[in-house]
Amino acid sequence: AATIVSGAVAERIKLSSFMVFSIVFVAMRRNVHELPELVRIAAEWGVGRLFVQNLSHSFGDTDPGGSYREIRAFASEEALWAEEDKAEAGRIFESARIENDLALAYLATGQIERAHELAGDARRQIEDTGDERWMASVVDTEAQVALARGNVDEALGLAAKARDYAQRSGNEFAGLMAMLTEARALRRAGRPVEAEARFGEAAALARSSKAPNRLREVLREWADLRAESGDHRGAYELTSEALAVN
């Protein structure tokens, strides 16, 4: 039996503790550009497997009377069968694979130099498409890697660029991540007032976009910043809010 679980439910409960959670993505011309972001979301939810498939059948061999004319027209318009579509899909799938590899390398093993290499490769591939939604995500990844390498000024510049891409393209998730990266970099740079403001913006966006995992992350790091500044009451309030997020 199959169970459909909403994103909201996936955010609230730890599915991986008692079931295998997979996603099947049917790639079409209208949605294939969303695949890199889906990889990121799947990783955040703890999804174990992500399957990608094309529209697999045109009904051309089973519909001699033309009863499925509309379905066949839709499949013809949306399926990634043409050579140019295959080439474009291949680039996108490769970018998604690199993003996934990067997340695994950076977050799980801490291989920062390898992450730096993969992030650069991903950006160069996605620059060719001109899609700012993708650019928002990969430039923020580069900002995170720069910060991990100790290049604070570079991280700040890249995070600001990622925020610009996110705002222009409406990529709310990438915008949130870029705000968080920028807040971390400002904190590392010894600029607590600016970091405080950026953490506040990130928390507001996380609340409005209903991203509890990210909200907890933002609130805890914001609380640490306030504690460092001697604002222990403020740190306590943020920590209490983080514990109450569900």
Side-chain angles (χ1 to χ4, degrees), residues 94-114:
E94 180 67 7
S95 297
R97 184 192 66 78
I98 289 173
E99 284 291 294
N100 191 43
D101 288 348
L102 175 61
L104 291 172
Y106 181 44
L107 297 177
T109 70
Q111 296 182 33
I112 298 171
E113 292 308 311
R114 178 58 175 155

Side-chain angles (χ1 to χ4, degrees), residues 1 9 75 92 107 138 149-150 163 169 193:
V9 173
I92 294 167
L107 297 177
V138 298
R149 299 176 83 209
R163 288 184 68 197
S169 65
V193 175

